[in-house]
Amino acid sequence: MAAPSLLNWRRVSSFTGPVPRARHGHRAVAIRELMIIFGGGNEGIADELHVYNTVTNQWFLPAVRGDIPPGCAAHGFVCDGTRILVFGGMVEYGRYSNELYELQASRWLWKKVKPHPPSSGLPPCPRLGHSFSLYGNKCYLFGGLANESEDSNNNVPRYLNDFYELELQHGSGVVGWSIPVTKGIVPSPRESHTAVIYCKKDSGSPKMYVFGGMCGARLDDLWQLDLETMSWSKPETKGTVPLPRSLHTASVIGNKMYIFGGWVPHKGENIETSPHDCEWRCTSSFSYLNLDTAEWTTLVSDSQEDKKNSRPRPRAGHCAVAIGTRLYFWSGRDGYKKALNSQVCCKDLWYLDTEKPPAPSQVQLIKATTNSFHVKWDEVPTVEGYLLQLNTDLPYQAASSESSAAPNMQGVRMDPHRQGSNSTIPNSISDTVNNTKTEHTAMKGTSVKNRPDLKASTDSNATLHSSLATNASNHNSCVVDVLRKNEGPHTSANIGVLSSCLDLRTVIPEPSVSSSVSSAQTMVTQQTIKTESSSTNGAVVKDETSLTTFSTKSEVDEACALPATKISRVEAHATAMPFSKETPSNPAATMKAGERQWCDVGIFKNNTALVSQFYLLPKGKQSISKIGSADAPDYSLLKKQDLVPGTGYRFRVAAINGCGIGPFSKISEFKTCIPGFPGAPSAVRISKVLPLFREEKICFQNVEGIHLSWEPPTSPSGNILEYSAYLAIRTAQIQDNPSQLVFMRIYCGLKTSCIVTAGQLANAHIDYTSRPAIVFRISAKNEKGYGPATQVRWLQGNNKKAPLN
């Protein structure tokens, strides 16, 4: 974690949509990139559900339906996948609730649920300010504040320290309440405390940590409950314990519990001698507890003044949400008096990166030309940009030494929430991506893995297709996995295709394959591709009426774009196939003296780039080390060098956030194309072929085969003489070396489509390197020879049965 003086808070600005009114006592949870807020109060209790998209910087009000709960404040609010549970809270002054509601966020559908009461004892009484924590299929309720008076206007507070367990049903619904029998000393009654659950990696049982709260006076004690043995204990801690507080937030990222804000004693008061009489005030202090070592670390002390408004001002009753390694804070109340008539609610939204971002996936090749690459890499959540670098063996002006460490980027100021094209920042390469926007594509959320080049790992027993071996060896590839979805007898395959360059060296030709099938025997179902864009690590909403607000526009090259239709599920893995073996992520470990220095391509806001040039650094200058510092190169003053045809380039990328530049990705290596060869076929589609006469019994569940079609290369470089389609087949060689695929030619001709019969599919190899899939390759030939091939992985589900089952 960064030192206190180096914390880089960011205040979010320029958001769009209906911004919720400022409030306190609200709660928030995260579903992928969405921050979902419910309840709270400020001149009345709020009953709206507000959603903030941290990627698009947009607020919106979803159209909820069903058993919509009344507005509430200081309630329990937890998230289980795309299901949210709300329990208790204050519904009006002096009147508290003990009702339970469930929200299915995939449909924005509310439902009131009635759990069974405990087998012994009463269910939880109405309350506010309790903690409600989720672990596995259970929620844990502790403490809170009840009203002993039946008259809501006559509030008689009763602090609680009871403990309940709520068992959930899978997906939707609950089983019931239970009252676990606990061991050890129980924490004192309290409300407006926090409780988090943490389980140490590789060892130990899950533990719930309760900190602070209010019981007439603010508290600063820490309690631990082992959820397996149900034993309470008070762990011994090291470091400076935060001041007693209530209405603070506690968030777990990694092995740290971050405590921010809340009501604390007024400066100068002796809380030990007069805990009930002293004044209380809000704080902006910020600390964390290492849950593995039980050591407190102060990041922002209570005495530190903020004269530049560079961090959130003091507040209590705010909300905090962890998205990735980033903490978001919104609203809350401010002020030095407890009197309600003098409170002021904050209207600001802030975030803080708690650590440098992880290394992105390897750079993936979308398309190669003679003098450019269209590349992408997996999105890293909650980052502000990406630094893309390359090097090559070609001579260019560079420093004599190479810096392998990730540069420091403290103080970088970029607003990731501003919408727009993939512009580079700052002063980055001018040739940025100018892509066709599609509403839905299969490219968001894909990940890349580097595979050995087929040419480099050819088995001598394989039959070689000589023309491909001769003419495709200079090319590289990118592969998108696709998913077959059964929707009835006329369902088509869901696929995604990227133009790619492949070395089809290990090929078994099959010259006798027919290039057409009689229309009297079969009919081809037209493909209906459903696509869903996803920006949170390949996560997919399986519900047919999925969260349309989760989808964000994705920019892809026009030659690689899928039809703008909707997908319910899409495989989230792509594979780059460079022409050399995988290179370790630490270049310093393998680079020898005198090797070329890494050069900056630029800093990019999004995870895609069109690379045709790179920047040349003056001799003696290192690559970017700190944005905005005197050492950072001014790109506008640097010379650029163009990419050269038929040349290999190594790429790496690092993500940037408020803590600096993270580690670089593993190195990918691509080669620009040699002029004259045709490009790769594009827009590959797969659909099932069904019998015209349904009573005819056919294998593979009444499916005769599949229809494979494609579009001609966007750059044919002359007349296309023929196409070849290949299918990866089962062989003993593949069993010994699963990464070395053997292909059989299933089509050769001028048509841009073919039928793959059920008999051919019965011999298909199911590739399990990522998700089970059948692999096809398609290439085009002109007068000069065969060009790069497009590879498609047709996902088969998780079973190991025959294709099309």
Side-chain angles (χ1 to χ4, degrees):
M1 181 67 193
S5 60
L6 298 179
L7 291 177
N8 284 301
W9 293 93
R10 302 283 200 268
R11 181 169 180 172
V12 181
S13 59
S14 304
F15 29 63
T16 59
V19 180
R21 71 178 189 269
R23 64 193 65 191
H24 61 93
H26 52 289
R27 300 288 188 261
V29 295
I31 299 180
R32 297 199 287 275
E33 73 271 22
L34 302 183
M35 180 171 70
I36 301 174
I37 296 171
F38 181 68
N42 181 17
E43 299 179 357
I45 294 180
D47 59 358
E48 313 98 352
L49 188 79
H50 289 267
V51 181
Y52 172 69
N53 188 315
T54 60
V55 173
T56 64
N57 194 25
Q58 181 181 20
W59 288 96
F60 65 92
L61 278 165
V64 296
R65 54 197 175 92
D67 305 324
I68 300 175
C72 56
H75 47 287
F77 201 54
V78 297
C79 180
D80 175 29
T82 58
R83 162 174 62 171
I84 296 173
L85 293 170
V86 180
F87 174 76
M90 181 173 70
V91 292
E92 61 182 47
Y93 179 77
R95 188 166 72 87
Y96 309 150
S97 168
N98 64 347
E99 293 179 338
L100 181 68
Y101 289 85
E102 175 187 274
L103 173 68
Q104 289 290 341
S106 60
R107 300 188 298 275
W108 301 119
L109 177 65
W110 283 106
K111 181 174 68 174
K112 186 175 182 180
V113 291
K114 296 182 179 180
H116 294 298
S119 57
S120 60
L122 297 173
C125 65
R127 64 189 66 202
L128 63 73
H130 48 282
S131 60
F132 197 52
S133 309
L134 173 76
Y135 188 82
N137 68 329
K138 293 180 180 178
C139 290
Y140 298 93
L141 170 68
F142 175 74
L145 179 69
N147 186 2
E148 288 286 78
S149 174
E150 296 182 359
D151 181 7
S152 61
N153 294 320
N154 182 25
N155 197 3
V156 180
R158 176 168 65 96
Y159 294 96
L160 306 170
N161 66 344
D162 50 357
F163 179 64
Y164 287 86
E165 184 180 86
L166 176 66
E167 184 178 356
L168 310 181
Q169 292 178 349
H170 179 70
S172 178
V174 298
V175 178
W177 295 104
S178 62
I179 304 176
V181 177
T182 61
K183 307 170 188 176
I185 300 175
V186 179
S188 60
R190 65 193 64 205
E191 60 100 1
S192 296
H193 55 282
T194 54
V196 301
I197 297 177
Y198 170 74
C199 187
K200 185 182 294 188
K201 286 184 178 180
D202 304 324
S203 64
S205 58
K207 295 177 175 62
M208 184 172 77
Y209 293 88
V210 176
F211 176 72
M214 171 72 171
C215 185
R218 267 72 184 179
L219 304 169
D220 64 352
D221 50 351
L222 177 71
W223 294 84
Q224 174 185 287
L225 175 65
D226 189 309
L227 295 179
E228 285 190 359
T229 64
M230 286 296 165
S231 301
W232 285 103
S233 61
K234 202 170 181 181
E236 294 290 332
T237 62
K238 296 172 285 186
T240 303
V241 178
L243 288 174
R245 65 191 63 211
S246 64
L247 293 171
H248 54 286
T249 55
S251 308
V252 174
I253 296 178
N255 65 345
K256 298 179 178 67
M257 176 178 74
Y258 292 91
I259 302 293
F260 176 74
W263 287 105
V264 297
H266 197 283
K267 292 180 182 178
E269 295 287 347
N270 188 339
I271 62 171
E272 294 182 359
T273 58
S274 57
H276 295 278
D277 301 328
C278 68
E279 287 278 336
W280 303 90
R281 63 180 179 85
C282 290
T283 182
S284 60
S285 60
F286 187 44
S287 303
Y288 72 77
L289 175 69
N290 185 313
L291 297 171
D292 291 336
T293 63
E295 182 174 3
W296 286 103
T297 299
T298 301
L299 298 173
V300 177
S301 70
D302 196 69
S303 61
Q304 285 180 273
E305 294 186 7
D306 181 26
K307 297 180 180 180
K308 298 182 180 180
N309 296 319
S310 59
R311 66 173 187 262
R313 70 178 190 263
R315 67 195 63 211
H318 53 285
C319 70
V321 160
I323 298 180
T325 58
R326 177 176 289 179
L327 273 174
Y328 282 86
F329 303 93
W330 182 70
S331 202
R333 61 179 175 178
D334 186 13
Y336 287 89
K337 300 292 183 180
K338 289 194 298 180
L340 294 177
N341 59 6
S342 66
Q343 75 179 14
V344 177
C345 284
C346 309
K347 299 178 181 179
D348 46 358
L349 173 64
W350 293 77
Y351 70 81
L352 176 73
D353 290 308
T354 60
E355 58 188 61
K356 290 183 179 181
S361 65
Q362 286 173 281
V363 176
Q364 306 167 40
L365 176 66
I366 296 176
K367 184 180 178 181
T369 68
T370 56
N371 58 2
S372 70
F373 296 111
H374 183 189
V375 297
K376 74 182 293 290
W377 50 92
D378 285 2
E379 284 186 333
V380 178
T382 61
V383 298
E384 300 178 356
Y386 301 91
L387 172 62
L388 181 64
Q389 294 184 334
L390 65 73
N391 72 23
T392 182
D393 294 331
L394 286 178
Y396 56 85
Q397 185 178 0
S400 59
S401 61
E402 196 258 343
S403 175
S404 62
N408 178 18
M409 261 209 40
Q410 302 290 353
V412 57
R413 290 283 172 179
M414 291 182 285
D415 188 355
H417 298 282
R418 296 186 183 276
Q419 300 183 45
S421 62
N422 183 31
S423 57
T424 53
I425 39 180
N427 300 324
S428 184
I429 190 165
S430 59
D431 297 315
T432 55
V433 179
N434 182 18
N435 295 325
T436 301
K437 288 193 176 181
T438 58
E439 192 64 32
H440 303 280
T441 77
M443 292 181 56
K444 281 285 225 180
T446 56
S447 63
V448 64
K449 296 179 182 177
N450 214 355
R451 290 187 180 176
D453 180 36
L454 297 183
K455 180 180 177 183
S457 57
T458 305
D459 191 291
S460 60
N461 295 326
T463 302
L464 303 182
H465 189 280
S466 59
S467 63
L468 291 177
T470 303
N471 297 316
S473 59
N474 290 319
H475 300 293
N476 321 288
S477 73
C478 184
V479 181
V480 163
D481 287 353
V482 297
L483 181 68
R484 175 178 58 126
K485 185 176 186 292
N486 295 322
E487 297 177 347
H490 294 277
T491 294
S492 60
N494 292 333
I495 66 171
V497 181
L498 294 181
S499 291
S500 56
C501 304
L502 295 170
D503 183 354
L504 297 185
R505 179 135 181 179
T506 309
V507 178
I508 296 178
E510 184 184 307
S512 60
V513 175
S514 173
S515 62
S516 64
V517 174
S518 171
S519 61
Q521 295 175 340
T522 63
M523 64 179 182
V524 178
T525 59
Q526 184 61 38
Q527 180 194 20
T528 305
I529 298 179
K530 294 184 176 181
T531 62
E532 174 191 87
S533 296
S534 172
S535 59
T536 59
N537 302 321
V540 175
V541 178
K542 297 181 181 179
D543 199 297
E544 193 63 30
T545 54
S546 59
L547 284 142
T548 56
T549 55
F550 283 15
S551 299
T552 56
K553 288 189 177 181
S554 173
E555 293 186 80
V556 297
D557 188 78
E558 185 173 8
C560 310
L562 290 174
T565 50
K566 195 178 176 183
I567 235 182
S568 58
R569 296 180 66 195
V570 66
E571 167 67 16
H573 298 281
T575 303
M577 303 182 69
F579 63 90
S580 64
K581 293 186 178 181
E582 180 176 308
T583 308
S585 58
N586 184 5
T590 55
M591 282 199 170
K592 300 177 181 179
E595 288 200 16
R596 299 297 180 182
Q597 180 188 5
W598 287 97
C599 293
D600 293 350
V601 177
I603 300 174
F604 295 86
K605 182 178 177 181
N606 296 326
N607 63 324
T608 182
L610 182 62
V611 182
S612 60
Q613 298 174 315
F614 56 93
Y615 290 98
L616 300 176
L617 293 175
K619 288 186 178 180
K621 286 287 186 179
Q622 295 296 317
S623 176
I624 182 172
S625 60
K626 191 173 182 181
I627 297 295
S629 73
D631 297 329
D634 184 348
Y635 286 143
S636 65
L637 301 178
L638 296 181
K639 293 182 179 180
K640 300 177 186 178
Q641 181 157 317
D642 294 332
L643 302 190
V644 179
T647 304
Y649 294 89
R650 292 172 286 275
F651 285 89
R652 67 180 187 178
V653 64
I656 304 167
N657 68 9
C659 290
I661 296 181
F664 280 97
S665 66
K666 292 182 178 180
I667 296 170
S668 296
E669 204 161 347
F670 308 120
K671 206 168 193 179
T672 48
C673 294
I674 299 175
F677 291 93
S682 61
V684 179
R685 295 176 176 86
I686 298 175
S687 53
K688 293 180 184 177
V689 178
L690 302 177
L692 201 59
F693 304 102
R694 296 182 176 240
E695 64 271 14
E696 183 181 357
K697 185 176 180 181
I698 297 181
C699 61
F700 297 131
Q701 293 184 347
N702 292 332
V703 177
E704 183 165 305
I706 64 168
H707 182 258
L708 188 64
S709 64
W710 55 90
E711 295 293 332
T714 54
S715 53
S717 300
N719 296 322
I720 298 298
L721 303 180
E722 66 183 25
Y723 296 95
S724 286
Y726 301 86
L727 170 69
I729 59 171
R730 292 193 304 273
T731 65
Q733 175 187 350
I734 293 183
Q735 293 177 354
D736 297 335
N737 184 11
S739 64
Q740 177 63 69
L741 300 180
V742 176
F743 287 83
M744 174 180 69
R745 185 158 67 178
I746 55 175
Y747 170 76
C748 182
L750 272 172
K751 291 188 176 181
T752 56
S753 66
C754 68
I755 297 295
V756 186
T757 67
Q760 292 168 335
L761 290 170
N763 295 317
H765 166 67
I766 306 296
D767 181 24
Y768 288 94
T769 54
S770 55
R771 294 195 47 189
I774 296 174
V775 181
F776 296 97
R777 292 179 177 176
I778 307 163
S779 59
K781 180 183 179 182
N782 65 7
E783 292 86 350
K784 198 162 186 177
Y786 271 98
T790 297
Q791 176 163 307
V792 176
R793 288 170 47 85
W794 181 34
L795 296 194
Q796 298 297 301
N798 293 320
N799 60 69
K800 295 190 178 184
K801 298 179 181 179
L804 298 175
N805 274 354

